[in-house]
Amino acid sequence: MRIRFYLISIIVCLSALSVQAQDSSVRQIYNEAEREYDIGRVEQAVSILNDNMDSFSGNVRQSAFRLMALCHLSLDDVKRAEEATRNLLNEDPYYTASPQDPQRFIDMVENLRSGLTATITTASSQAENLNEVPVPTTLITEEMIRNSGARNLQEVLAIYVPSMNIIDCNDDINISMRGIYSNGQEKILIMLNGHRLNSYSINIAAPDFSMSLEKLKQIEVLRGPASSLYGGVSLTAVVNLITKQGADIDGVKLKAGAGNHSQMRGDLLFGKRYFDLDLLVWGSFYKAKGEERYITIEETALPNSYGHAGDITIGGIGNKPSYDYGVSLKYKNLRFLYNTQFSQIQSPMTMTYLFAPYDVEKYKTYDGIRPSFTTTSHHADISYGQQLHNVYLKGGITYDNSDMAHYQVISDTQIPGFVDLLPLPEASQETLRKSAEGGYSRYMSGQEHTFGAKFQGDWSYLNNKNHKGLLSAGMEYIYFEMEDARYTFGYNYKTNLPETIPVSDLGKGNENSFNTYVQLKHHWKSFILNAGLRFDYKHRFDSTNIREFSPRLALIYVQPKWNVKLSYSKAYIDAPYYYRKTNVFLQAFAGVTKASALLDPETMHSYQLTFGATQWAKGLNFEINAFYNKARNNIHMNLLDYSNDAKSDIYGIEFSGSYERPRFSAHLSSSWQKSHIYMTYDQSMDNPLNTPEFSANSVLTWRATKQLKLHTRLGYYSKQHTQYYDITNYVMLIQVSNRMGEFMESIYMKYPSSPIDDSGLPIDISPEDKVTWESLADMLVKANEGIYTKKDIDPYFLVDIGANYTWGRFEFALNIHNLFDKKYVLSGASTGLIPQKGRWFLFDVAYKF
């Protein structure tokens, strides 16, 4: 409560600054230049601006670069006009020209921000165009988001980003990158205006309805490892969500929507710019009861003897809507961001290897929540930057808080032998054997707090006709603490096992981390060298330490209409605190006196070769990228715990392109990938699991009239492969192993003095006992051979359509997803085939005040 009071106090104090006037002398100088321009004395205006540019700051400096560009355009000096516009975009990478500006200036801004010359800030932590970024990058604009008809961030990324595919792990909304994923979205770093949204305890930032699309100006996606800048979550990609500015809204915009399956959606945007103060406030919510689908026993993991058919819910949000509220405030060189989110997702089926229907209403509630995955998070960031001659310095502090609850149904029905697999004390197992009739569940929750402080600087050490050099360095400290942890098993729907160990105390802990990085970007004529190195140190809760170096090296050759990039990067991601603590929980349940995390960081080495082309034909841009990724120490979920038991080699080709004309546009993304996955339990696969070998998406847009725009999305996904535990064979394997152990003990007691042969059996063993042993061994082999179920997922083709109509201040939109109601399934880590959404539609109406 105290932290929220401080945040509100900061907002109030900063808002009060909006009434302060710009320094009068500086403002008067700019106003004088503007008057000279207005009366046609353009050269005098240029002279005033050149003489005083260093004294301008904040919005006045942006206005000065804009005016400089307009002056040079009126003098027909296009080169200097472009230079001034680039400086303007460096000050504000997301600047949008006003409709009242000259058309030549509007076109210049759009040309610099569109296609492969658009300005982004994510790749090198500084403003640069896409020709110069060191790794392949996808830029998704506000217009592209609207044209896709996507309902959430997951769908936007899957449509526009090559090698990003939707997977279904039956838990959170999830997405994979180049075949790498986990049960939750924890391999891709998602940021909001550069602020990390991924949890520090579980590394997850689900791209779901708790991340509003309406507030976004653009999305910048780095494809490939990025630990050299962003550390240990950016294993496979970085997604930076860039919000609009208050000046982009300049008023209030309301939007409301409704659709089938009890969908309801609402959005509010308020934005204004008052002199040097830019303010954006947003709010959104989404709820849906979900689509009910009947599945047969054959579609579940449980055999007929104790399985059952029934209804499942697809796309259910739960009993509370997801929401996203926030404020972004900029005053001169001061930046403030606050965001609060709530996410709730209801699993369609029971957990992992036991996937089957369940009745959510039968289970008890925890804090008003029935079985689902919920996260309430708060993010705050305040920073200040200052230009000192050729050095730019920036510092900031951050705060993050997340309340998480994972409430999973294990099984509605009682499964013979299943209790023996649970890592519980014998007394708890005996309780379940005697009293449990089904209704098994697992509930885990915790509250995390994270404080951070960072400082960075950029030094422009060289800037002449042939050379441009920029050296960047920074450091960051992060303190993480977990409190109020809880871990409990439930049975008979509403009964909990007694807490036999102090779980709440065992779950608590804190970790400290420190990182520092250095980056060099040197531009020599058409060549660019971009190199970086980051060092991360982390002190874990169990007193182990992590030390990781993350290098990056890129060579770029840039020509006016094409460029080539060759890059290498290495990344890591530490095993989530939640995974390591889960292993500790389970070891403690099993009676292990000295628990250990026993999980190492995952690593990835990536090699990429990229060819990009811009305006090869009018309106045509495209990029082709070849990659090879080498991932090691991959974490895999077993029945209930986690282990580093996999590695993979993945290679492929990615293509993305766009063609834009005044009334028609087309965006295409596609990828082809192969992999070889090695498992420590003697399993290997030559195809990516649960991701298609080939996928392609296109978004086609046609402006039929000035008011009406039509769009469609076409998606094709090739055959996929999935593999998961067969729980019946797994139970049999454990039972037979136990029986073999008991049998061997009896044999050694029966023949105490007999020598042992090479197979481990007494030489004097009787034929009857040998037959019994061979029978058990045969049963063990059959159970082991059948422990993995391998299935194919058929190819599928999806069609979405939509329309937008503008009438004065009103805007109407209709989007229909999966137009032909295609029935298909997906899968993910440690789960079976999960049915996907059929035909869903949503109608929206928006009004701008």
Side-chain angles (χ1 to χ4, degrees), residues 147-148 159-160 665-668 697-701 711-713:
N147 293 342
S148 70
I159 289 171
Y160 285 116
S665 68
H667 288 83
L668 173 67
N697 280 278
S698 63
V699 175
L700 310 176
T701 306
H711 57 83
T712 183
R713 172 251 179 165

Side-chain angles (χ1 to χ4, degrees), residues 471-502:
L471 183 65
S472 303
M475 62 183 65
E476 182 180 27
Y477 171 78
I478 296 172
Y479 173 80
F480 160 82
E481 182 177 5
M482 173 63 77
E483 60 182 35
D484 297 334
R486 188 174 180 185
Y487 190 107
T488 183
F489 284 93
Y491 65 98
N492 291 344
Y493 301 102
K494 297 184 182 298
T495 306
N496 288 344
L497 287 173
E499 189 173 289
T500 56
I501 61 171

Side-chain angles (χ1 to χ4, degrees), residues 558-574:
V558 180
Q559 288 295 293
K561 288 195 172 185
W562 58 276
N563 62 83
V564 178
K565 305 170 186 177
L566 177 64
S567 65
Y568 161 77
S569 57
K570 181 248 181 180
Y572 87 100
I573 179 171
D574 191 21

